[in-house]
Amino acid sequence: NIRGMSHKIVNLRVRDVRFPTSLEQHGSDAMHTDPDYSAAYVVLDTDSGLKGFGLTFTLGKGTEIVLCAVKALAGLVIGKSLQEIVSNFRGFYRLLTSDGQMRWLGPEKGVIHLATAAVLNAVWDLWARAEGKYHAMYLSIQDPKQIVSCIDFRYITDVLTEEEALDILVKAQEGKKQREDQMLKEGYPAYTTSCAWLGYSDQQLKQLCSDGLKSGWTRFKVKVGADLEDDIRRCCLIRKMIGPSSTLMIDANQRWDVAEAISWVSRLAEVKPLWIEEPTSPDDILGHAAISKALAPLGIGVATGEQCHNRVMFKQFLQASALQFVQIDSCRLGSVNENLAVLLMAYKFQVPVCPHAGGVGLCELVQHLILFDYICVSADLRNRMCEYVDHLHEHFTSPVVIQDAHYMPPKDPGYSCEMLEESVNRHEYPEGDIWKQEIKK
Amino acid sequence: NIRGMSHKIVNLRVRDVRFPTSLEQHGSDAMHTDPDYSAAYVVLDTDSGLKGFGLTFTLGKGTEIVLCAVKALAGLVIGKSLQEIVSNFRGFYRLLTSDGQMRWLGPEKGVIHLATAAVLNAVWDLWARAEGKYHAMYLSIQDPKQIVSCIDFRYITDVLTEEEALDILVKAQEGKKQREDQMLKEGYPAYTTSCAWLGYSDQQLKQLCSDGLKSGWTRFKVKVGADLEDDIRRCCLIRKMIGPSSTLMIDANQRWDVAEAISWVSRLAEVKPLWIEEPTSPDDILGHAAISKALAPLGIGVATGEQCHNRVMFKQFLQASALQFVQIDSCRLGSVNENLAVLLMAYKFQVPVCPHAGGVGLCELVQHLILFDYICVSADLRNRMCEYVDHLHEHFTSPVVIQDAHYMPPKDPGYSCEMLEESVNRHEYPEGDIWKQEIKK
């Protein structure tokens, strides 16, 4: 038992929480022009009184579909104890992802996998809270064997076996304490996407870059892909603002076909981007490989992952040298369980992990995964940084803390995605006050 | 206008229809042990009184999630006229699959894409009915330019451009009339999966094979993957029953990892299977390529596709020589629009198309696609056949007609997936009589 209690899950509640971000073009990119950052927000109630909070991120419309999927999974969760789940976490992951009837709706992709992430994120939150530790720390004090037992190796053993995974974790025990102390003191390096959404005016871009530099940011990401001449102008403007020693990344959000990606990004080589993110379809492994190969001579890498739907896809992106930066997502993959598999595969291929964050709650969640990656897997900060977007943190009970462009490790127990009850009530769709007002307009 | 009318869509209804097939182990395989063949069933009402019927296939639990997704798409459909849709069908496809907010839930995969298929299948049904032709015939009398205008080439232009697609269709105009006459007379070759579900006893297997042979079947598929010794015994039994000149295929429904697939199937080489179907994860393009390469010396091909979620994945399977048989599905891909892209890419790579069917309504739908493939694209029957399963056809107003192990072209106007109103009422979940009785038990 966990500190004397089994924490039986007696109820699972899920709510549709939406923020009207589209009104001010926050988050706008070449493919998602009017996102309302939203979440399917899950609360687990246990017989001990302890609660677990989890979410999956969405863009507004359709969040109700994810809620429906969470409700379909609830029957597999309610009645189980935390103790029972974590003593065979691989089995529990398999139970949620391989139900003989629901598997057809994925498998392990799209709506049903987003719902799985929301549920499992809440379970991981519950587990860390039960142990009274913040999640990354709780993960990092676990026995490597226990960590490996959370991972479903199905379909990835041709690249990573359980034994290899264990070996990586055991070797990384060395220096773990120092790295944890370092993180507590310095934090994990971050980059900002807040300065250059596609819908912003030049005046806004300049002001935000200037503010960003003053706050210590040295790594900036710019949205591109709608219009080439406009991209050149905006990227040159930003490169001029941030200077040659700062890092610039560009993000096309899947706008192009393969040949177009290569020619378009080649035209932007003059601004010296570190990477082009999501140049084409998130499913196109071979396409990303072709783009990687073509852009390598220009010194531009390819980054992708926020819509890479499971570990089998990440496995192939790594096998095919189709990416040079792995952008894990805390809500697209099957929670910590599946992210652990991807962190370990990325380590094996020696490709740096630079997580996707932003939206609502993604920074709060993914900071734990990247801290764990540094402390317990990669032991390496070269070419590594975690995305940061300065939005909606005020709705969380333990918002991320950024100091000098670094994520400072969280202090409160859990996985950091509990939202303020008042925020949830106000933003619940369509009954919350915010939406009642919007609908009236 | 289409025969003088615009056929404005004034309503979209969707119903959850489930058949309790798990009670008798019909459809059981290594990963889906208790499927209840089901459908999200869509009816479009128009102002002309004409209706369009479409569906997407599911396995029972979770069908309500697909319904929820169909309802989320309905707003993009209601109010549009058939005339308006088909005059820019590519644009309409893009509208459904690239909504700035809902795209996040896919894109083009899982629940949201299954829902897209159900809606678009109903639109294609409506179109053929409006023209008073059965669907395949209606497709085949269209101008190649019109056909190409239905396809979204986004993300596939590195393999197939619009010009190449048009060129293939124009060249295949030659001999079209003869092939259509041939199909009307002989039908399209089929194989049966009805004889060897995993849950059946040896006695059942023998009886069904014997019955199958008597009805003229010469191509049989067997489910494998749960237990090697049991597979060897069952496959040998069936090979003995059907003789050396009949064709045997085996299907593992994603049960294995890559290395295990190779070793397991090698052990089954003695029964001379034409193909191993779904040896591993449907997402694992490179895995399938490795398996294809390893099994080629044994004369065993790899078939996959029923869970291949979009044209971008099929593109890569073809690029990587990861399959030797393309198994399109009428409900997993984005309806006819996306299947047309896959048929044309398969033709370009000269890989035969052998559709997935069975379930409920899949035979009714896919027969149109494979007839079109032969008449207007491939002009080739070598190594080609369409799956057939002898279940649930009695619930349709125009069930498939099988003669001498061939699909005979349908005669009624439309896409053949209108269900009998009484069947829908009885099997609607959970209110229908069938389910009220089941729940009582």
Side-chain angles (χ1 to χ4, degrees):
Chain A
N1 284 9
I2 297 161
R3 304 172 92 197
M5 283 181 285
S6 72
H7 305 289
K8 182 174 162 179
I9 296 166
V10 293
N11 198 15
L12 184 160
R13 291 172 286 152
V14 57
R15 298 171 75 179
D16 185 338
V17 187
R18 306 190 190 187
F19 299 89
T21 44
S22 63
L23 298 178
E24 295 177 20
Q25 293 271 295
H26 302 320
S28 55
D29 66 49
M31 294 294 269
H32 312 93
T33 49
D34 60 347
D36 285 327
Y37 284 168
S38 305
Y41 180 64
V42 170
V43 183
L44 300 176
D45 298 306
T46 69
D47 62 356
S48 67
L50 199 66
K51 292 180 197 304
F53 302 88
L55 60 80
T56 196
F57 171 60
T58 55
L59 293 188
K61 246 163 85 181
T63 308
E64 74 279 8
I65 311 170
V66 183
L67 260 76
C68 187
V70 168
K71 287 173 191 162
L73 294 172
L76 303 171
V77 180
I78 295 169
K80 295 223 166 38
S81 72
L82 178 63
Q83 175 58 31
E84 192 182 345
I85 290 171
V86 302
S87 68
N88 179 16
F89 213 154
R90 181 184 300 162
F92 185 70
Y93 178 88
R94 186 75 70 91
L95 181 77
L96 293 191
T97 54
S98 294
D99 175 89
Q101 298 193 349
M102 284 196 284
R103 192 176 183 281
W104 188 262
L105 306 178
E108 295 181 79
K109 62 176 67 74
V111 167
I112 196 81
H113 213 42
L114 292 168
T116 300
V119 170
L120 287 174
N121 282 341
V123 170
W124 280 93
D125 180 63
L126 183 66
W127 195 8
R129 283 171 191 263
E131 296 286 355
K133 302 275 194 296
Y134 74 84
H135 183 269
M137 193 215 279
Y138 180 57
L139 249 185
S140 80
I141 58 176
Q142 280 187 54
D143 179 31
K145 272 191 195 152
Q146 172 83 39
I147 292 173
V148 160
S149 79
C150 299
I151 301 172
D152 188 350
F153 288 89
R154 175 176 270 176
Y155 302 141
I156 59 170
T157 56
D158 50 335
V159 151
L160 184 78
T161 63
E162 187 166 348
E163 295 67 37
E164 287 175 290
L166 189 60
D167 195 46
I168 292 169
L169 291 167
V170 168
K171 280 191 182 138
Q173 295 283 304
E174 199 190 315
K176 210 171 85 169
K177 182 73 180 67
Q178 284 153 276
R179 291 192 295 277
E180 187 162 343
D181 290 344
Q182 180 196 356
M183 287 295 107
L184 288 168
K185 206 174 134 202
E186 299 169 13
Y188 195 94
Y191 72 87
T192 177
T193 309
S194 290
C195 300
W197 295 105
L198 210 53
Y200 286 2
S201 69
D202 283 8
Q203 190 48 42
Q204 263 177 306
L205 294 183
K206 278 191 200 173
Q207 186 61 48
L208 289 164
C209 278
S210 167
D211 294 349
L213 288 162
K214 277 182 210 146
S215 313
W217 293 98
T218 57
R219 304 173 174 102
F220 298 82
K221 194 164 80 185
V222 183
K223 297 286 177 176
V224 298
D227 179 275
L228 178 56
E229 297 311 319
D230 189 55
D231 285 350
I232 294 173
R233 189 180 51 73
R234 293 165 67 256
C235 287
C236 286
L237 185 152
I238 290 165
R239 173 52 86 191
K240 207 173 146 189
M241 290 290 298
I242 66 176
S245 62
S246 288
T247 305
L248 182 69
M249 288 83 75
I250 55 176
D251 182 358
N253 292 87
Q254 313 168 21
R255 183 60 184 255
W256 306 307
D257 280 23
V258 174
E260 193 181 16
I262 294 168
S263 67
W264 194 303
V265 177
S266 300
R267 289 286 308 278
L268 292 170
E270 58 177 305
V271 301
K272 299 202 181 301
L274 176 66
W275 75 51
I276 170 65
E277 180 170 330
E278 290 203 306
T280 187
S281 164
D283 296 335
D284 198 351
I285 298 151
L286 301 179
H288 280 81
I291 296 165
S292 292
K293 205 173 161 187
L295 296 179
L298 301 174
I300 305 170
V302 169
T304 192
E306 72 185 63
Q307 294 198 24
C308 182
H309 58 260
N310 61 34
R311 68 194 177 285
V312 184
M313 295 299 286
F314 270 116
K315 176 185 79 166
Q316 295 172 84
F317 273 100
L318 290 163
Q319 286 176 301
S321 304
L323 42 59
Q324 287 71 51
F325 300 91
V326 170
Q327 301 184 299
I328 56 165
D329 183 286
S330 55
C331 296
R332 175 80 53 186
L333 293 180
S335 186
V336 182
N337 311 70
E338 195 167 28
N339 268 296
L340 289 171
V342 176
L343 294 178
L344 289 160
M345 288 192 290
Y347 177 79
K348 187 173 167 185
F349 282 89
Q350 286 292 299
V351 174
V353 176
C354 298
H356 171 242
V360 55
L362 297 180
C363 299
E364 276 69 18
L365 287 162
V366 91
Q367 63 178 335
H368 293 273
L369 298 174
I370 200 67
L371 284 167
F372 174 80
D373 183 59
Y374 177 60
I375 296 168
C376 299
V377 182
S378 77
D380 196 346
L381 289 177
R382 285 170 305 165
N383 264 327
R384 284 164 165 87
M385 50 189 159
C386 185
E387 184 167 19
Y388 175 70
V389 183
D390 186 18
H391 275 151
L392 306 176
H393 302 291
E394 66 275 20
H395 299 293
F396 290 84
T397 60
S398 305
V400 289
V401 176
I402 298 288
Q403 274 178 22
D404 196 26
H406 284 67
Y407 276 92
M408 301 310 292
K411 293 203 168 71
D412 298 322
Y415 202 178
S416 308
C417 62
E418 181 184 357
M419 295 176 78
L420 295 171
E421 189 64 19
E422 202 212 322
S423 289
V424 176
N425 290 339
R426 277 175 60 78
H427 293 89
E428 190 158 16
Y429 184 87
E431 302 85 9
D433 285 351
I434 293 282
W435 291 104
K436 276 199 207 138
Q437 288 162 25
E438 280 308 311
I439 291 160
K440 264 194 215 138
K441 276 180 196 166
Chain B
N1 284 10
I2 297 162
R3 300 173 94 196
M5 283 179 287
S6 73
H7 305 289
K8 182 174 162 180
I9 296 167
V10 293
N11 198 15
L12 184 159
R13 292 172 284 153
V14 57
R15 297 172 75 179
D16 185 338
V17 187
R18 307 190 190 186
F19 299 88
T21 45
S22 63
L23 298 177
E24 296 178 18
Q25 293 270 294
H26 302 319
S28 55
D29 66 50
M31 294 294 270
H32 312 93
T33 50
D34 59 347
D36 285 328
Y37 285 168
S38 306
Y41 180 64
V42 170
V43 183
L44 300 176
D45 297 306
T46 68
D47 62 356
S48 67
L50 198 67
K51 291 180 198 307
F53 302 88
L55 60 81
T56 196
F57 171 59
T58 56
L59 292 188
K61 246 164 85 181
T63 307
E64 74 279 9
I65 310 170
V66 183
L67 261 75
C68 188
V70 169
K71 287 173 191 161
L73 294 172
L76 303 171
V77 180
I78 296 171
K80 295 221 166 40
S81 72
L82 178 62
Q83 174 59 30
E84 193 182 343
I85 291 171
V86 303
S87 68
N88 180 15
F89 214 154
R90 180 184 300 162
F92 185 70
Y93 178 89
R94 185 77 69 92
L95 181 77
L96 292 192
T97 55
S98 293
D99 176 89
Q101 297 194 349
M102 286 195 283
R103 191 176 185 282
W104 188 262
L105 306 177
E108 296 181 82
K109 61 176 68 72
V111 167
I112 196 82
H113 212 43
L114 291 168
T116 300
V119 171
L120 287 175
N121 282 340
V123 171
W124 280 95
D125 180 64
L126 183 65
W127 195 9
R129 284 172 190 262
E131 297 286 354
K133 302 274 193 299
Y134 74 85
H135 183 269
M137 193 215 277
Y138 180 58
L139 250 185
S140 79
I141 57 176
Q142 281 186 50
D143 177 31
K145 272 190 194 151
Q146 171 84 39
I147 292 173
V148 161
S149 78
C150 300
I151 301 172
D152 188 350
F153 287 89
R154 175 176 270 176
Y155 301 142
I156 59 169
T157 56
D158 49 336
V159 151
L160 185 79
T161 63
E162 187 166 348
E163 295 67 37
E164 286 175 291
L166 188 61
D167 194 46
I168 293 169
L169 290 167
V170 167
K171 279 192 185 137
Q173 296 283 305
E174 198 190 316
K176 211 171 83 168
K177 181 73 180 67
Q178 283 152 279
R179 290 193 294 277
E180 187 163 344
D181 290 344
Q182 179 196 356
M183 286 295 108
L184 288 168
K185 204 173 135 205
E186 299 169 14
Y188 195 94
Y191 73 86
T192 176
T193 309
S194 290
C195 300
W197 296 105
L198 210 53
Y200 286 3
S201 70
D202 283 8
Q203 190 49 43
Q204 262 177 305
L205 294 183
K206 279 191 199 171
Q207 186 62 50
L208 288 164
C209 279
S210 167
D211 294 349
L213 289 162
K214 277 183 209 144
S215 313
W217 293 98
T218 58
R219 305 171 173 103
F220 298 81
K221 193 164 80 186
V222 184
K223 297 285 176 176
V224 298
D227 179 274
L228 178 56
E229 296 312 318
D230 189 55
D231 284 350
I232 295 172
R233 190 180 50 74
R234 294 165 66 254
C235 287
C236 287
L237 184 152
I238 290 164
R239 173 53 84 193
K240 208 173 144 191
M241 290 290 298
I242 67 176
S245 62
S246 288
T247 305
L248 181 68
M249 287 84 73
I250 56 177
D251 183 357
N253 292 89
Q254 313 169 19
R255 183 59 184 256
W256 306 308
D257 280 22
V258 175
E260 193 181 16
I262 294 168
S263 67
W264 194 303
V265 177
S266 299
R267 289 285 309 277
L268 292 169
E270 59 177 304
V271 300
K272 299 199 181 304
L274 175 67
W275 75 52
I276 171 64
E277 180 170 330
E278 290 203 307
T280 188
S281 163
D283 296 336
D284 198 351
I285 299 151
L286 301 179
H288 281 81
I291 296 166
S292 291
K293 205 174 163 190
L295 296 179
L298 301 173
I300 305 170
V302 169
T304 192
E306 71 185 65
Q307 294 197 22
C308 182
H309 57 258
N310 61 35
R311 68 193 176 286
V312 183
M313 296 299 285
F314 270 115
K315 176 186 78 166
Q316 295 172 85
F317 273 99
L318 290 163
Q319 285 176 302
S321 304
L323 42 59
Q324 288 70 53
F325 300 91
V326 170
Q327 299 184 300
I328 56 165
D329 183 286
S330 55
C331 295
R332 174 79 55 183
L333 293 180
S335 185
V336 182
N337 311 71
E338 195 166 28
N339 268 296
L340 289 171
V342 176
L343 294 178
L344 289 160
M345 288 192 289
Y347 176 79
K348 186 172 169 189
F349 282 89
Q350 286 292 298
V351 175
V353 175
C354 298
H356 171 241
V360 55
L362 298 180
C363 299
E364 276 70 18
L365 287 163
V366 91
Q367 63 177 335
H368 293 273
L369 298 175
I370 200 67
L371 284 167
F372 174 79
D373 183 59
Y374 178 61
I375 297 168
C376 298
V377 182
S378 77
D380 196 345
L381 290 177
R382 286 170 305 165
N383 264 328
R384 284 165 165 86
M385 50 189 158
C386 185
E387 184 167 20
Y388 175 70
V389 183
D390 186 18
H391 276 150
L392 307 175
H393 302 291
E394 65 275 20
H395 300 292
F396 290 84
T397 59
S398 305
V400 289
V401 176
I402 297 287
Q403 273 178 25
D404 196 26
H406 284 66
Y407 275 91
M408 301 311 292
K411 294 202 168 71
D412 299 323
Y415 202 179
S416 308
C417 62
E418 180 183 357
M419 295 176 79
L420 296 170
E421 188 65 19
E422 201 212 323
S423 289
V424 176
N425 291 338
R426 277 175 60 78
H427 293 90
E428 189 157 17
Y429 185 87
E431 302 85 9
D433 285 350
I434 292 284
W435 291 105
K436 275 197 207 139
Q437 287 163 27
E438 279 309 310
I439 290 160
K440 265 194 214 141
K441 276 180 198 168

